[in-house]
Amino acid sequence: MRDAYHEELDVLTGKLVEMTRLVRSAISRATTAILDADLQLAESVISRDEEVNAVFADIESSIFELMARQQPVAVDLRMVITALRMGTDLERMGDLAVHVAKIARLRHPDSAIPAETRSTIVEMGQIAENLVTKAGSCVASRDVDSALELEQDDDAMDRLHRRLFRNILSKDWEHGVEPAIDITLIGRYYERYADHAVRVAGDVVYLVTGARPS
């Protein structure tokens, strides 16, 4: 009975890792869509968010069934509750990728990214992908040291977020209010995406050690 139970927990972990792959693909495609004004790619991000939602719904269902049948306690209960938290964060990351794609769709056939902010958005997209890739590896391996490293990558995202604001507030900004709003929103979506990835890694630390990262 216990072997079967722990196999179910391993299946849960596998589904969480699958979610990290899906939301990594989503933010990668959303970044390309927003940079290149690629309507088809933007639409694919929006439509395929249902895949992320479906995996999360499956995780939720499995967790509720496990809790009803097994009534987990101590470390097992921590695993189940943490899996639910991770799934919630990953589902939100998928939503944030969709928000980026929707701005690309809204501004098509024009690009929502002025030339002077393009390199920053490229970097933000790269960091977002790196963060979720590391988070997925941490979920699979339960590597606490790697999970703690994500804070440093998130610091880099925060610096880029601040750079966007400096661009928008600069006296050289010539694009008006609407692009400034777009850039503000896009920057916020990437910053929040990174925060959720760090929270997933923090949950790995909590799962293994029972303590939250400081």
Side-chain angles (χ1 to χ4, degrees):
M1 179 70 75
R2 297 297 297 174
D3 287 345
Y5 175 51
H6 284 97
E7 284 178 10
E8 291 182 80
L9 292 179
D10 289 341
V11 170
L12 267 182
T13 298
K15 290 175 182 176
L16 289 167
V17 173
E18 181 184 355
M19 283 189 77
T20 67
R21 295 187 184 120
L22 290 172
V23 300
R24 180 188 183 280
S25 174
I27 199 65
S28 175
R29 287 178 289 120
T31 301
T32 301
I34 200 73
L35 290 168
D36 297 346
D38 189 324
L39 180 60
Q40 183 175 358
L41 204 55
E43 293 287 6
S44 78
V45 176
I46 295 164
S47 63
R48 290 180 62 184
D49 189 50
E50 287 302 317
E51 296 178 35
V52 178
N53 295 340
V55 177
F56 180 50
D58 194 20
I59 288 171
E60 280 190 309
S61 177
S62 297
I63 286 172
F64 295 148
E65 184 177 346
L66 271 173
M67 292 184 74
R69 285 192 291 102
Q70 302 290 350
Q71 298 181 348
V73 296
V75 175
D76 289 344
L77 179 60
R78 190 162 75 218
M79 170 61 192
V80 171
I81 297 301
T82 302
L84 184 59
R85 286 171 53 91
M86 289 178 182
T88 301
D89 280 312
L90 290 165
E91 191 272 339
R92 182 58 183 152
M93 290 165 73
D95 290 343
L96 290 163
V98 167
H99 292 337
V100 174
K102 284 183 175 179
I103 293 179
R105 182 175 67 180
L106 179 65
R107 301 305 174 205
H108 181 80
D110 298 322
S111 173
I113 308 299
E116 61 264 44
T117 61
R118 184 177 179 87
S119 63
T120 304
I121 298 301
V122 169
E123 287 185 68
M124 293 180 95
Q126 291 170 343
I127 290 173
E129 288 186 55
N130 186 48
L131 279 166
V132 72
T133 299
K134 285 186 177 180
S137 177
C138 292
V139 171
S141 66
R142 300 188 185 179
D143 186 332
V144 170
D145 291 337
S146 295
L148 291 171
E149 291 175 1
L150 266 74
E151 288 282 358
Q152 297 176 5
D153 295 316
D154 186 46
D155 289 343
M157 182 69 87
D158 291 338
R159 286 193 294 271
L160 293 172
H161 192 210
R162 290 192 293 271
R163 184 197 297 175
L164 282 181
F165 277 107
R166 288 195 296 271
N167 287 335
I168 294 167
L169 296 174
S170 168
K171 60 182 176 58
D172 297 325
W173 182 260
E174 300 176 345
H175 306 284
V177 173
E178 189 172 84
I181 292 172
D182 286 344
I183 290 296
T184 299
L185 289 172
I186 291 165
R188 178 61 172 164
Y189 297 149
Y190 281 104
E191 189 264 341
R192 291 298 298 148
Y193 185 100
D195 286 347
H196 284 289
V198 171
R199 284 180 55 174
V200 170
D203 280 333
V204 171
V205 176
Y206 173 67
L207 174 62
V208 174
T209 68
R212 293 283 176 193
S214 57

